[in-house]
Amino acid sequence: MTNLPNQTLDSIFQSLSAGECSSGAALAELIRSLRPSSATNHEQAVMNLRALAWLLEHNPTYRQALRSALLELLTQTRQIPLYTESGILANTGFFSTLSKRVGERLLPMPIREDSLQDRFGRLFRWKQDHIWLAGIPDETWQQLWQAMAWPEEEDRAGWVQTRLQMVEAVQILSARVTAIGLEPELVRVYPEIERFESPFLHLNAAVLSYADSYRRALADGTAQAEDDKHVLVLLDQCEEILGKIRKNASRNGISVNLTYQALRLLQSLNRLRALLALLEPGHDPGHNPALFHLIQDFARAENRKYSVSDVLKSNTELLALQVTEHAGRHGEHYIAESRREWAGMAKAAMGAGLIVGVMALIKLLLAQAHLPLLWEGLSYGLNYAIGFIIVQLLHFTIATKQPAMTAARIAAALHQQEKSGSRVPLDELAELVVKVMRTQFIAILGNVLLAIPTAAIIALGWQALFGQPVVGTAKAQHLLHDLDPLGSLALLHAGIAGVYLFLSGLIAGYYDNKAIYRRIPERLAAHPLLNKLLGKHRAWQLGHYVEHNLGALAGNFYFGLFLGLTGTIGIILGLPLDIRHITFSAANLAFGLVALDFQLPLGMIALYCGGVALIGFTNLAVSFSMALWVALRSRKLSGRQVLPLLPLLLKHFIRHPLQFFIPPAAPRPPIDEAAGDKPAGS
């Protein structure tokens, strides 16, 4: 650690006092001298500010020069945009804001010398200034403020002008809050917002009365007739409504525009509170750190004003939560609680394996048709998509679809455990993971155990019926080679399929959210033509089905297209792109072995079987890890929250290994001795 040399500060203040440099240049040089060598070196930043405070405390000329430079900066610039725009999303919408940031990053706006916002951004031009500023304790800031001895300052005009501009900024922000609060997107989610008693409608009038009273008090030098208590009460009510809007979104759906407006509203409310705190009579930054927190907010906003990732992260967080919430609710159906449900999952998986065997046959026949490249990819994709939709309609289960759903369910339980902070929920979460693992195991087993014999029976029947195998020897060898985990790109292609599984889960959650947000079920039920063709009750049934199955159908459709078109895209781009899915790989294993009449060494067959198992593991690992990461991030959690589960799961596996594969038997009900075990003569 290095201390700030006093001679550096001396030279800056001497130049400023002698008029050898402008106040702006002196302030820029001062901040450059205070800046630590590393943004994370908070200790050096604190020592630098303490050195400055000591120097100001012992040199009245220096502190007078610094006060004058700051007041000159305030009086010569327009302050309102800094208070009302910096760190607050613009009223242009999500995509317009995104494109604007990209454009300004490529071609930045020119600096306006009369704008405090631009001058502030030039003072804190290093993109990591906000990091070291945020690491300075409030006590150090207050020590610096007290060393500046503001009561000594005789020029009050600068402070009066600053307060007047703050009051004007408060009025502008309150008008924006009222406008945002009455946006149709927010009203749709929370209709009560339009009532006459809405705090958004009363906020503007209350702020206007407060602002008039504040200006009269500044002009007359008298006590303020009306304080900000009523305004603060209305702000509390506005924040309460915003919380209800976010809560109702889980029922009524969410959109990018709604999250954008909700975030903009929250930012405006927070800024209003910060400015009102600074405008309080007798407010002293030497004892209240609100001013320094606001400066840190300004610094971060100016440092990150061209950041595209910040806009994406802040505006998609609630949408991601909503999408994963829908996936989590579906995930509950993929977790077997009892042996009966476990057996039901096995039957559903076996049914899916039967259909996949047929789908694999169709895929092989389409390959023999030698269609044009694009049509071939589309035909593969439609084969997959239609097959997956049939699986969905018949209430069967594709095992690899589960991780994207169950990961969101685990994240929701983990979030609940994090909020409770107790040990019992963590044990319950470990039990949930065990249930997920054994359900996943039986689903994969059901898929594979039916896909292999189904494909084998189809291949043998085809050979008996047509006198030739479904595929030739060369094609059979190629199918088996694609399962080799060592001699082919099978695991890479399995990872690509895992990514598609993850994306299909997000798509399913997105369409479930869209169905609710756009009120598609009610619109279908009320559609005049559907009511005429189907009848009122059946139209309602159709809407009810769409409400609960649109996401799954859309996810399966897109997943099928992803699988079918990947190989085609790889050929077009000249890249080794393809997919490997465990259930289809198992069916291809059967088709290949039958075509070769099982004339392979036992070791080779074992290698290909191991390849199928590794493909399945890769499918599940990639899709589950990605889905869990998104679900955790949407709830502001990190992967570290999962670590305490690992020793619990290991302990559980050592004690009860079979429970990771088979559910324990249900406990027998206790014997009622009073009713059934008494001797006959008693």
Side-chain angles (χ1 to χ4, degrees):
M1 185 195 73
T2 59
N3 293 329
L4 182 70
N6 283 346
Q7 56 267 31
T8 304
L9 289 175
D10 279 330
S11 62
I12 294 173
F13 284 113
Q14 287 172 7
S15 299
L16 182 61
S17 302
E20 297 175 359
C21 64
S22 65
S23 60
L27 290 174
E29 182 63 22
L30 177 62
I31 292 171
R32 189 193 65 79
S33 301
L34 294 174
R35 187 177 290 134
S37 56
S38 170
T40 56
N41 192 345
H42 301 310
E43 187 176 357
Q44 182 184 355
V46 171
M47 294 299 295
N48 290 348
L49 256 70
R50 287 178 178 172
L52 175 60
W54 184 90
L55 193 65
L56 294 175
E57 187 177 352
H58 292 82
N59 293 273
T61 305
Y62 289 175
R63 59 177 179 258
Q64 175 61 50
L66 181 56
R67 292 198 304 264
S68 298
L70 291 173
L71 288 174
E72 181 182 341
L73 177 65
L74 293 173
T75 54
Q76 292 182 354
T77 56
R78 179 167 171 76
Q79 305 173 29
I80 293 174
L82 178 67
Y83 305 144
T84 60
E85 297 175 11
S86 185
I88 299 177
L89 294 171
N91 187 25
T92 54
F94 172 74
F95 294 104
S96 298
T97 300
L98 202 61
S99 61
K100 180 182 177 183
R101 291 210 174 187
V102 173
E104 290 182 348
R105 175 186 283 269
L106 298 175
L107 189 63
M109 295 290 289
I111 300 281
R112 297 165 296 179
E113 293 297 329
D114 63 339
S115 169
L116 181 60
Q117 183 179 12
D118 288 1
R119 297 276 292 273
F120 185 92
R122 190 163 60 181
L123 289 175
F124 295 96
R125 64 177 65 191
W126 189 35
K127 299 307 179 185
Q128 294 183 317
D129 273 332
H130 66 281
I131 298 176
W132 67 268
L133 287 173
I136 297 174
D138 293 341
E139 297 78 11
T140 305
W141 286 114
Q142 292 166 352
Q143 179 184 353
L144 176 61
W145 183 270
Q146 292 167 359
M148 294 175 70
W150 282 99
E152 297 177 358
E153 183 59 45
E154 297 179 357
D155 181 11
R156 299 296 176 183
W159 281 123
V160 172
Q161 181 178 339
T162 297
R163 288 180 179 273
L164 287 174
Q165 294 203 51
M166 281 187 178
V167 170
E168 188 175 346
V170 166
Q171 287 186 271
I172 293 173
L173 287 170
S174 70
R176 290 178 182 172
V177 165
T178 300
I180 300 171
L182 299 178
E183 279 282 335
E185 290 278 344
L186 276 68
V187 173
R188 189 197 63 81
V189 178
Y190 190 71
E192 292 84 351
I193 208 173
E194 274 189 320
R195 292 187 310 172
F196 180 74
E197 297 83 2
S198 169
F200 291 101
L201 292 174
H202 290 285
L203 181 63
N204 235 4
V207 168
L208 180 61
S209 176
Y210 165 80
D212 289 342
S213 173
Y214 201 98
R215 289 192 183 97
R216 285 195 300 269
L218 281 179
D220 301 340
T222 58
Q224 189 175 346
E226 185 172 342
D227 58 23
D228 60 356
K229 289 182 180 178
H230 183 46
V231 177
L232 292 175
V233 169
L234 291 173
L235 290 180
D236 288 338
Q237 294 175 358
C238 291
E239 289 181 350
E240 183 180 351
I241 289 178
L242 179 59
K244 291 179 180 178
I245 290 172
R246 288 173 172 264
K247 186 177 180 180
N248 285 1
S250 62
R251 247 187 353 263
N252 301 321
I254 200 78
S255 70
V256 172
N257 189 39
L258 178 58
T259 57
Y260 184 89
Q261 296 297 343
L263 180 59
R264 184 165 170 256
L265 177 58
L266 179 61
Q267 291 172 342
S268 300
L269 291 171
N270 290 338
R271 184 60 52 79
L272 260 174
R273 285 188 178 279
L275 293 178
L276 289 172
L278 297 182
L279 288 170
E280 286 182 359
H283 174 79
D284 182 10
H287 298 89
N288 187 333
L291 173 63
F292 311 116
H293 295 168
L294 191 58
I295 290 175
Q296 293 165 16
D297 291 342
F298 289 153
R300 189 186 191 284
E302 291 304 309
N303 290 164
R304 308 286 297 176
K305 64 182 177 182
Y306 299 137
S307 173
V308 175
S309 61
D310 284 1
V311 178
L312 288 171
K313 180 181 177 181
S314 59
N315 284 278
T316 57
E317 199 168 66
L318 185 58
L319 181 61
L321 175 61
Q322 185 67 3
V323 167
T324 54
E325 277 288 316
H326 285 292
R329 282 194 286 273
H330 287 292
E332 295 175 357
H333 304 299
Y334 290 97
I335 301 175
E337 298 285 345
S338 62
R339 284 197 174 183
R340 182 177 180 180
E341 293 179 358
W342 184 79
M345 180 62 69
K347 293 177 182 177
M350 292 168 73
L354 185 68
I355 293 175
V356 167
V358 178
M359 292 168 62
L361 170 67
I362 297 174
K363 166 75 165 24
L364 294 174
L365 296 178
L366 288 172
Q368 294 176 13
H370 300 293
L371 298 172
L373 188 59
L374 180 60
W375 292 112
E376 184 179 69
L378 286 174
S379 65
Y380 290 167
L382 289 175
N383 173 50
Y384 287 130
I386 293 171
F388 290 143
I389 289 175
I390 291 173
V391 169
Q392 171 70 24
L393 293 175
L394 295 178
H395 304 290
F396 293 154
T397 298
I398 298 290
T400 49
K401 297 285 291 181
Q402 292 177 240
M405 308 295 179
T406 54
R409 175 69 182 87
I410 291 173
L414 188 62
H415 186 230
Q416 187 63 33
Q417 183 272 334
E418 184 73 14
K419 289 195 297 184
S420 65
S422 60
R423 178 77 178 181
V424 175
L426 188 61
D427 293 336
E428 294 176 358
L429 182 57
E431 183 63 31
L432 174 65
V433 174
V434 173
K435 292 177 183 177
V436 168
M437 294 180 71
R438 64 177 173 240
T439 307
Q440 187 70 72
F441 166 75
I442 193 59
I444 290 177
L445 200 63
N447 282 167
V448 172
L449 289 184
L450 255 290
I452 290 177
T454 299
I457 291 172
I458 290 174
L460 292 171
W462 185 281
Q463 193 165 341
L465 186 62
F466 297 104
Q468 60 181 8
V470 176
V471 294
T473 302
K475 180 64 175 178
Q477 291 174 344
H478 181 70
L479 289 176
L480 295 177
H481 173 74
D482 286 343
L483 305 179
D484 186 350
L486 303 176
S488 72
L489 298 176
L491 299 186
L492 173 63
H493 295 158
I496 295 174
V499 174
Y500 291 156
L501 286 163
F502 157 71
L503 292 177
S504 68
L506 288 186
I507 290 171
Y510 170 79
Y511 274 91
D512 279 330
N513 173 74
K514 191 179 184 69
I516 298 174
Y517 182 75
R518 297 295 182 188
R519 302 178 64 185
I520 293 176
E522 297 128 80
R523 289 158 68 179
L524 287 174
H527 197 284
L529 182 60
L530 288 177
N531 276 272
K532 185 177 180 180
L533 293 176
L534 303 177
K536 188 174 182 180
H537 180 66
R538 287 178 179 169
W540 176 86
Q541 284 183 320
L542 176 62
H544 181 75
Y545 182 83
V546 167
E547 179 181 359
H548 293 88
N549 294 277
L550 178 64
L553 294 173
N556 284 318
F557 179 77
Y558 282 103
F559 180 53
L561 291 183
F562 290 157
L563 295 184
L565 288 169
T566 299
T568 301
I569 294 173
I571 294 173
I572 293 172
L573 298 178
L575 297 174
L577 300 180
D578 209 340
I579 58 95
R580 294 290 176 268
H581 186 278
I582 179 174
T583 314
F584 289 95
S585 297
N588 288 339
L589 173 65
F591 280 119
L593 290 176
V594 171
L596 297 177
D597 199 24
F598 296 94
Q599 298 301 310
L600 287 174
L602 188 60
M604 293 296 294
I605 296 177
L607 176 66
Y608 297 142
C609 291
V612 171
L614 287 176
I615 287 171
F617 176 80
T618 305
N619 289 159
L620 299 178
V622 171
S623 60
F624 181 80
S625 59
M626 295 182 72
L628 183 62
W629 181 81
V630 170
L632 290 174
R633 290 298 299 269
S634 70
R635 296 176 178 276
K636 295 183 173 63
L637 300 174
S638 68
R640 289 192 297 271
Q641 272 84 3
V642 182
L643 296 179
L645 279 175
L646 300 180
L648 287 177
L649 291 173
L650 179 61
K651 182 178 178 181
H652 193 107
F653 183 79
I654 293 173
R655 291 183 175 180
H656 309 286
L658 284 180
Q659 290 187 8
F660 282 75
F661 307 99
I662 303 173
R668 295 181 180 180
I671 298 175
D672 189 348
E673 296 183 359
D677 282 354
K678 287 186 178 182
S682 61

